[in-house]
Amino acid sequence: MDYRTWRHVFKLDPERTLSDEALDRVCLSGTDAVMVGGTTGVTFDNTVDLLGRIRRYEVPCVQEISTIESVVPGFDLYMIPVVLNTDDGRWITGQHQMGLREYGALIDWEAVVPEGYVILNPDSSVARLTGAKTELDGQDLAAYGRLADRLLRLPILYVEYSGMFGEMDKVRRASAVLHQARLFYGGGVDSPDKARQAAGCAHTVVVGNVLYDDLDAALATVAAVRSVPAP
Ligand code: 1GP
C-alpha cells in the first residue's frame, strides 16, 4: 500500500454518522484512501462497523489509532501519531509503550506507519487532549519538519489544523525542508479553493469535517487536489 503516492485522503470519524449513500459517494470519489479515526468517542465497535461498510469498496482503508482499545484488525495500514509539539510524554511514547507491552509481539510491522504530528489549532479537541504547544511560527514548524524527517526519520510529518484552515506559508516552509518524509496536511479544507492551496504545500491533503456538513463540497476537493502539482 503505497501511501507515499497519495494526494488526497478522506478522514472518517467513527463516532459520526454517514448514510450508506454518502459513504458510497465517498468511497467511489477517486480519493486515494479513506482514513478512519478521531480524537474522542472512537470505540472498537463503531470502528469495526465503519470498516465493514468501507470494505465493500476497493478504496484503501487505514486506521489512525487514537486508543489501544479501538484497534481493529483488517485495515490495510495503521497510522500511529507521535505528537511532536507537546511536553506530555503520554502522546509521544507513553501510550505507545503501553500498547506494545500488551500487543508488541503480535504486530505486523509492515502495516504500521508512524506519523510525526504537529498540532496547530489551539481550539481543537486534539490540541486540548494532548496539551499541544500550538504557538509556532514558520521557523518552529520547519524545525519540527527536520526533527521528524531527519532526526527521527519518520515517514510522515502530519501538520494538523483540525477544524480550521491553516497558514499555508508555514506549511510550505515545513514541506521545503523535508528530505524523505511526506507532508500530510489536514484542517479546514472545505472547498476546492482551499484544497488547491493545501495541495500546493502538502504531498497529501486530508479532508474530514466537511464530509458531514457539505458532502458535495467535500467530494469536489478530490479533483481540486489532483489539479495541482505536488510540491
Ligand atoms: C482532522 O486533519 C483532519 O484530523 C482533517 O481536518 O476535519 O478540519 O477537515 P478537518
Side-chain angles (χ1 to χ4, degrees):
M1 183 86 8
D2 195 2
Y3 63 89
R4 299 185 60 84
T5 63
W6 294 349
R7 286 290 278 145
H8 184 284
V9 170
F10 278 127
K11 191 186 278 192
L12 269 52
D13 183 344
E15 203 192 11
R16 300 182 75 176
T17 310
L18 211 55
S19 69
D20 283 343
E21 192 204 339
L23 190 68
D24 186 72
R25 295 180 69 197
V26 168
C27 292
L28 299 175
S29 64
T31 187
D32 292 303
V34 172
M35 185 184 275
V36 173
T39 305
T40 54
V42 179
T43 65
F44 184 89
D45 289 348
N46 60 23
T47 303
V48 98
D49 263 15
L50 188 53
L51 174 65
R53 293 172 65 209
I54 298 166
R55 273 291 180 236
R56 296 178 201 147
Y57 302 89
E58 283 178 15
V59 68
C61 189
V62 311
Q63 184 175 20
E64 188 173 59
I65 297 177
S66 49
T67 63
I68 298 156
E69 301 74 41
S70 61
V71 178
V72 169
F75 282 90
D76 294 311
L77 287 178
Y78 294 86
M79 294 199 164
I80 314 225
V82 172
V83 180
L84 303 179
N85 61 328
T86 178
D87 288 342
D88 185 341
R90 284 178 298 169
W91 310 105
I92 311 169
T93 56
Q95 304 269 4
H96 315 66
Q97 189 266 350
M98 285 196 289
L100 293 174
R101 191 172 182 277
E102 292 301 311
Y103 305 109
L106 306 172
I107 291 173
D108 170 10
W109 289 102
E110 293 298 311
V112 172
V113 184
E115 306 169 303
Y117 244 70
V118 182
I119 300 164
L120 291 168
N121 176 3
D123 299 324
S124 61
S125 20
V126 65
R128 282 194 290 270
L129 178 72
T130 60
K133 295 183 172 304
T134 57
E135 289 295 311
L136 303 178
D137 62 19
Q139 198 171 348
D140 291 321
L141 189 58
Y144 277 120
R146 289 200 166 98
L147 182 80
D149 179 62
R150 296 289 203 172
L151 194 61
L152 301 179
R153 302 190 187 183
L154 295 170
I156 294 174
L157 173 70
Y158 193 125
V159 179
E160 171 66 294
Y161 273 97
S162 179
M164 74 178 265
F165 192 62
E167 290 179 55
M168 291 301 120
D169 289 348
K170 285 187 195 173
V171 180
R172 192 174 297 109
R173 211 159 148 185
S175 181
V177 302
L178 299 183
H179 168 70
Q180 55 79 28
R182 307 287 294 177
L183 194 149
F184 279 42
Y185 170 83
V189 174
D190 58 7
S191 67
D193 177 52
K194 286 181 191 151
R196 278 188 292 271
Q197 289 182 52
C201 308
H203 301 106
T204 306
V205 178
V206 182
V207 176
N209 265 306
V210 68
L211 280 168
Y212 302 92
D213 302 334
D214 184 347
L215 183 61
D216 286 329
L219 295 170
T221 63
V222 179
V225 165
R226 295 211 189 290
S227 71
V228 176

